[in-house]
Amino acid sequence: MSSKFRSVPDQLWFLISDSPETSNVNTTAIATSSPEPDINELVEFLRVLQIALICLRVLSCYISCKDSLPPMMPGNATNEAQDQLPVFNSPPLAFTSPYATSLPNGSQHPRPNSTEISLNDGMCRDKNAAGGPGESETVPQLCRRLSTDAYTDKYTRTQPRLSSECVDQYLVDPFAVDSVNSADSANLSSKQIKNIQVPEDSGENVEAIPHYKPVENLTMHYPELTGAVLDTDLDGTSRTRELVTFHKSKTTLIPPRYSGYSPLSGSKPSGSGLHLPSIVNDVPRAAGATANVKLEAEAYIGGLHRMKSASLLSCNPLENMKSLPVLPYAVGTDSVRSKLSIAESSSSSKPPQSTESLNMLNSMERQETPIDKRKFSSDLVDGLEYSQSSPKKKRKTTLSLNGAKHCNCKKTKCLKLYCQCFSAGKYCAEFCACQECHNKADYEDTVIKTRQVIESRNPIAFASKIEQHNNQFINSEGGTCATPSSGRHKIGCNCKKSMCLKKYCECFQANVPCSTGCRCDGCKNVYDKNEEYDATKHGVDKEMVSDRADERTFYPGSCHSHNPDDSTNHRMVELPFQLVSSGYLQELAILASNVDSTHMLLQTNNEELNVGSYNWPLDDNNPGMAHQFPPRWDTLVNQRHLTPLSDSPLMSMTPSTSSRTRDLTYSQIHLTPGTGNVSSGVSPQWRISLITPTTELNEILGTESLQSFNPDYRLYHTLEDDTPKMLKDSTTSTENVKVSSPNQNHRVSPPESHMHELGSSSSGPLRSARQISLPSVPLFPPLGPCIDSKGSTDNSASKFENGNSSK
DNA sequence: GAGTTTGAAACT
DNA sequence: CAGTTTCAAACTC
C-alpha cells in the first residue's frame, strides 16, 4: 500500500500514515477498493499533495505563530496562559486527559511543547478576536483553526512542537459523553485518562462577559478549566497529574450538604456559585468577596502557573467562539482554593484517586467570577514564586497555598470536627493524608448523618467561626488589606499558653483579634487603637510573622501585596458609601462621568444606571498618596456634593491617623446631598468597591447587566446582606473591651473596626444597603490600614508584603 | 521526619 | 456546665 506512494515525501507519508484516522481514511480505503489502481493512486497522490501543501502551510503558520509567542517563562506566564486556559461554557463535555507519556523522558522540549488538550473551546479564540500583545495566533488558536480543516489531524502531526498527544486527543470525539467509557478513550488506554464533565448549566452566562483582556482571560477562564489536560512536557506527567488533580479536587471539595446537591447525584448546580461555609468564605460577602477573591487568586497562582507551564497548546476542534466564554458569576472560592491547594500539594499528593472523585465532577460547580480570574492573573507570578520558592511551604501544614485545608486525620475517619476538611464542610481531597477517611463521596450518607449529628449538638458547628467585617483596602503597594479587627471569632478562643500568638489560637489563625468571647489567658492577640496590628509587637517571632504573612492570604482579613511591577495587578478597594437615596445614584453617576476610562454601572434594584466611566490614578510609587484621597475624588465629591460625614477624617487626614483610621476614613465616606449630614432611615448604604463581581453580582445585575459593560471596568453593587450583622456588631463594638478576659488591660476597643459600621448605622437601619463595587482597577492611591498616617507603610502590612514580595 | 505542644472537639 | 480525654494541627528539634 505504501508502495503506491513512493513519491510522497517520507515526512508527508509519515504524516499521513501515522495518523490512525488518516490511515483509515486514506490508506485503508485505497487498499480495499479500487480495481483501477492507477486512477486511485493518482487520486490519492493528489490528495497527498494537497495534504502536503496544507501541511506546509500549517507548518509555516505555526512557525510564524511560534515566533510571535513570548517565551514560556513564569514571569510572563499570565498573558500566555490565558490562551491556554480552556473555558467550559458549553454543555457537558467529555474530556480525555491522558497523562503525558508521549514524549520520551529526558527529552528537552521547551515549555511550549507542553500540550494542554481541552475539548473546550475557551482556549482557542478566534484570531481576529485577539487583540493586544501576544495575540498573534497562538498554537492553540492555530490548532483550533486547523480543527476546521478536514486534514487537521494530519497537519497537527506535522508540527514537531505539537504533541502527538494533542493530535490523539484531537482525534477523540470531543462529544463523547464519557471518554472513560468511550472507544476513543479506549484507544488511549496506554494513557491515563481523566474524564471530566461539565454541568450542563456550566455554560450559563457564557456570553455574559463579552471580552476580556488577555491576562484577564487567563485568570478568568482558567478556573473553569475542567477539561483534561495533556502534558507532554518532560516533567509533564506530574504536571498533568496536578492539573487533573486540580479538577478532581474541585469536585471533591464540594460539600454535598452545602452545595445543595449530591456530589454524586450529578444534579445541576445552582449556578449561584455559593459554597459551603468555611472560615475563609463564610464571612459576609461584602468583606469576604473581596478578600476571598484575592485569596483565591493568590492561591490559585500556583495552579495557574503550573497549568500554564504544562500547557501551551490547547486544541479544541469544537471551538468556534471568538470570545472567551466564561462562567462569570460563580464565586467559586472553594473550588479555587481547592485548585490551588492541589497545585501546591501535588508534589506530594497521593496517587490519583479513584473514579469516584471523578464522578463527582459531574456535579461540580464550574463557575468563577471574572473578578476572580482577573485576580488570578494579577497574582499569577507572585503565586508562582511563592509556591515554588518558599521553603517554608515544605512544612507540614493543614493549609495549602490556597487556603484549602487538608487533613491528616488518623482515627476519626475525618468525620469529626477535628478534621479540618470535614469541619469546613468539604470532602477530603486526594492530597489529604488522612487514614481510613470516610469524608468522601463514597460515604456520603455517613458524612451527612455525621454532620447532622454534630449539628444537632451545635447548629453552627459547620459555620464559619469568623465573623468577618468589611474592611478592605489597598495597601501602599496595591495589595489588599484588611485590618485584623475587621473580623472576630464568633465563639472565641480558649488559649492558655500560646498567648493567642500562635496558630493554635483560632483567632490568631483567622487573623482576627481576640474578642469578648474569648476566654484566653495572657492574650496578646489584641488591638491597640494607637498601633497597627503588628504581630511582632506581641512577641511573634519573625518567622512566624513571615509565615503568617504567607498565610494571611488564607483569611479574609488578609493583607498581602501584589507585585507592583505586575501591570496586571488589580487592586481591590472597598469604599462604603452612604447615599441619601437611590436618587443619588445619579450623583454618583455624574461623579463617575467626570472621570473617564472606567465604565460604571449602577443599579438600583432592577434599575440600571449607566454612569459612565471614571478613572482614578493609582500611583504605587508614591506612598505619600496613600493617605490622600485622590484629588479628583475630592473635587468630585465637592462638585457633586458628595460630602463625607462630618466626623470623617477623610479630608483631614492627620499624621497620627493610623492606617486603620484611614480605614475608618474611607469607610465613612458618605455621599450626601451636599449637607454633609447623613439622612437616617431611608438611606441605603452603598459601598463602592474595587472588587470583582461575584455571585452577588450575578444575582443582582444578572447576566445582561454584566454584558452591558466592560467587564474590566465594572461597577456594581450588591445587596449588603450583612447589614443587620454589621448593625448588630456596631452595637456591640463598645463591648470590645474584654471584661472577663485577663487580657482586658491589653485589650483596647478598636472603635475603628466598627466605626464604619457605626457610621453606617448612624443613618439608622440600613434596609436597602447596597454595595457598589468598582472594577479592579487602580482607582485610588494606596490606602488602607497598611499605611500609617505618616505615609510610611504599615509595619505589619509591610512585613506581610515584604514577606510576599520577597518570595 | 519524629516528637512535643497546644487547644478544640468530644466525651463524661 | 465543668472536667477530662481525645484528637489533630501547630510547632520544635
Side-chain angles (χ1 to χ4, degrees), chain A residues 93-97 119 168-169 171-189 193-195 197:
Chain A
L93 295 176
F95 300 91
T96 59
S97 178
L119 298 180
D168 292 340
Q169 188 71 23
L171 295 174
V172 174
D173 182 3
F175 290 106
V177 174
D178 187 346
S179 63
V180 174
N181 297 327
S182 67
D184 288 335
S185 63
N187 293 334
L188 298 174
S189 60
I193 299 172
K194 301 296 181 181
N195 177 44
Q197 292 182 336

Side-chain angles (χ1 to χ4, degrees), chain A residues 46-154:
Chain A
L46 292 175
R47 294 179 60 185
V48 169
L49 289 178
Q50 183 182 6
I51 293 168
L53 292 174
I54 298 171
C55 290
L56 291 174
R57 187 185 65 183
V58 171
L59 179 60
S60 176
C61 180
Y62 171 68
I63 292 171
S64 176
C65 293
K66 181 189 68 175
D67 293 340
S68 66
L69 290 174
M72 202 60 164
M73 299 301 291
N76 54 13
T78 304
N79 290 334
E80 297 167 294
Q82 65 184 4
D83 286 334
Q84 322 310 330
L85 298 180
V87 177
F88 294 83
N89 57 318
S90 52
L93 295 176
F95 300 91
T96 59
S97 178
Y99 287 10
T101 55
S102 63
L103 293 182
N105 293 335
S107 64
Q108 299 299 322
H109 290 284
R111 283 294 172 83
N113 288 344
S114 299
T115 301
E116 174 179 336
I117 300 303
S118 171
L119 298 180
N120 178 284
D121 54 4
M123 297 175 63
C124 300
R125 290 178 296 173
D126 184 274
K127 182 177 181 178
N128 296 332
E135 296 193 356
S136 60
E137 187 175 36
T138 63
V139 173
Q141 291 170 340
L142 174 61
C143 184
R144 167 179 164 265
R145 188 157 57 85
L146 292 175
S147 66
T148 59
D149 192 309
Y151 299 100
T152 296
D153 55 338
K154 303 172 187 175

Side-chain angles (χ1 to χ4, degrees), chain A residues 626-765:
Chain A
H627 55 283
Q628 297 175 358
F629 221 51
R632 233 171 174 180
W633 173 260
D634 293 352
T635 300
L636 292 172
V637 168
N638 293 331
Q639 289 178 346
R640 307 316 310 176
H641 307 290
L642 299 176
T643 305
L645 292 176
S646 59
D647 60 343
S648 174
L650 169 63
M651 302 307 171
S652 61
M653 189 73 71
T654 62
S656 62
T657 303
S658 68
S659 60
R660 262 186 286 136
T661 302
R662 178 167 44 252
D663 172 11
L664 169 63
T665 297
Y666 285 95
S667 298
Q668 287 187 314
I669 295 172
H670 289 229
L671 303 180
T672 62
T675 62
N677 297 327
V678 177
S679 304
S680 63
V682 297
S683 300
Q685 183 184 25
W686 290 80
R687 289 189 178 182
I688 294 180
S689 306
L690 281 176
I691 63 177
T692 58
T694 62
T695 302
E696 300 161 347
L697 178 58
N698 183 28
E699 296 171 352
I700 300 297
L701 295 180
T703 300
E704 295 179 357
S705 298
L706 290 175
Q707 288 176 320
S708 63
F709 57 90
N710 187 332
D712 293 337
Y713 303 99
R714 182 172 300 116
L715 174 65
Y716 70 95
H717 68 88
T718 59
L719 287 172
E720 197 154 356
D721 297 335
D722 61 332
T723 297
K725 180 188 296 182
M726 294 172 62
L727 292 173
K728 177 188 68 177
D729 291 342
S730 65
T731 61
T732 59
S733 62
T734 57
E735 301 172 357
N736 273 359
V737 176
K738 198 172 185 176
V739 176
S740 60
S741 170
N743 308 313
Q744 56 181 308
N745 291 335
H746 302 282
R747 194 177 305 281
V748 178
S749 176
E752 307 86 4
S753 65
H754 297 284
M755 282 299 291
H756 66 285
E757 300 165 7
L758 291 171
S760 299
S761 65
S762 64
S763 60

Side-chain angles (χ1 to χ4, degrees), chain A residues 762-775:
Chain A
S762 64
S763 60
L766 303 176
R767 295 180 180 179
S768 59
R770 299 286 188 278
Q771 176 170 333
I772 301 173
S773 296
L774 295 179

Side-chain angles (χ1 to χ4, degrees), chain A residues 530-566:
Chain A
N530 294 324
E531 295 180 353
E532 300 299 335
Y533 181 78
D534 185 349
T536 58
K537 293 182 180 179
H538 301 297
V540 179
D541 59 70
K542 182 179 180 180
E543 182 176 359
M544 177 174 291
V545 172
S546 179
D547 288 347
R548 183 162 174 166
D550 295 342
E551 293 156 358
R552 288 177 82 88
T553 58
F554 302 149
Y555 305 105
S558 64
C559 179
H560 42 254
S561 65
H562 302 269
N563 183 355
D565 297 332
D566 184 359

Side-chain angles (χ1 to χ4, degrees), chain A residues 323-638:
Chain A
S323 63
L324 291 177
V326 296
L327 304 175
Y329 301 130
V331 173
T333 58
D334 286 329
S335 62
V336 175
R337 274 191 284 273
S338 65
K339 296 170 190 172
L340 259 295
S341 175
I342 292 166
E344 179 199 24
S345 60
S346 60
S347 60
S348 60
S349 62
K350 296 175 180 179
Q353 55 188 167
S354 62
T355 56
E356 71 188 43
S357 298
L358 298 179
N359 293 335
M360 297 173 66
L361 292 173
N362 293 333
S363 61
M364 284 173 53
E365 286 183 329
R366 304 180 187 286
Q367 297 172 332
E368 207 69 43
T369 65
I371 299 306
D372 292 349
K373 298 170 183 177
R374 199 176 301 133
K375 291 300 298 178
F376 297 154
S377 66
S378 67
D379 295 320
L380 178 61
V381 174
D382 289 342
L384 171 64
E385 294 173 353
Y386 174 80
S387 62
Q388 291 185 345
S389 63
S390 176
K392 293 176 182 178
K393 286 302 157 186
K394 296 177 181 178
R395 189 177 66 185
K396 178 182 175 182
T397 178
T398 58
L399 286 175
S400 62
L401 175 62
N402 63 357
K405 293 181 177 179
H406 53 271
C407 65
N408 299 292
C409 305
K410 296 177 177 60
K411 298 180 179 179
T412 62
K413 299 179 181 179
C414 299
L415 291 177
K416 292 187 180 296
L417 292 175
Y418 295 129
C419 176
Q420 295 195 10
C421 300
F422 181 79
S423 176
K426 301 176 182 179
Y427 286 133
C428 290
E430 68 176 57
F431 48 87
C432 289
C434 45
Q435 299 173 5
E436 300 181 38
C437 178
H438 285 196
N439 184 30
K440 56 180 64 173
D442 285 348
Y443 302 92
E444 182 182 11
D445 292 340
T446 301
V447 171
I448 293 173
K449 290 177 182 178
T450 304
R451 292 177 68 93
Q452 289 173 346
V453 170
I454 293 172
E455 283 189 318
S456 66
R457 297 196 301 256
N458 179 13
I460 61 172
F462 294 96
S464 171
K465 297 177 181 178
I466 303 302
E467 225 173 53
Q468 189 68 27
H469 301 156
N470 197 2
N471 231 359
Q472 280 229 314
F473 314 88
I474 55 175
N475 60 26
S476 61
E477 296 183 4
T480 58
C481 301
T483 64
S485 62
S486 61
R488 72 175 198 174
H489 199 286
K490 291 178 180 177
I491 301 172
C493 65
N494 193 32
C495 304
K496 304 298 179 188
K497 297 180 180 179
S498 67
M499 295 182 292
C500 301
L501 292 177
K502 295 183 181 296
K503 291 181 74 175
Y504 299 125
C505 175
E506 292 190 350
C507 297
F508 181 88
Q509 187 174 86
N511 195 32
V512 298
C514 291
S515 60
T516 55
C518 296
R519 301 161 300 282
C520 44
D521 293 340
C523 178
K524 291 185 178 180
N525 182 30
V526 297
Y527 266 129
D528 185 328
K529 67 178 179 182
N530 294 324
E531 295 180 353
E532 300 299 335
Y533 181 78
D534 185 349
T536 58
K537 293 182 180 179
H538 301 297
V540 179
D541 59 70
K542 182 179 180 180
E543 182 176 359
M544 177 174 291
V545 172
S546 179
D547 288 347
R548 183 162 174 166
D550 295 342
E551 293 156 358
R552 288 177 82 88
T553 58
F554 302 149
Y555 305 105
S558 64
C559 179
H560 42 254
S561 65
H562 302 269
N563 183 355
D565 297 332
D566 184 359
S567 60
T568 65
N569 180 18
H570 298 280
R571 289 73 182 258
M572 292 180 288
V573 175
E574 190 167 80
L575 296 176
F577 281 81
Q578 194 164 54
L579 303 179
V580 170
S581 67
S582 62
Y584 274 83
L585 284 174
Q586 296 180 1
E587 290 283 347
L588 184 58
I590 298 171
L591 163 67
S593 65
N594 283 338
V595 289
D596 45 33
S597 158
T598 299
H599 196 81
M600 299 177 71
L601 177 65
L602 299 179
Q603 176 176 340
T604 301
N605 295 327
N606 295 328
E607 178 183 7
E608 281 188 13
L609 174 61
N610 188 328
V611 297
S613 61
Y614 84 140
N615 178 29
W616 283 319
L618 177 60
D619 186 0
D620 287 335
N621 298 325
N622 187 3
M625 293 182 65
H627 55 283
Q628 297 175 358
F629 221 51
R632 233 171 174 180
W633 173 260
D634 293 352
T635 300
L636 292 172
V637 168
N638 293 331

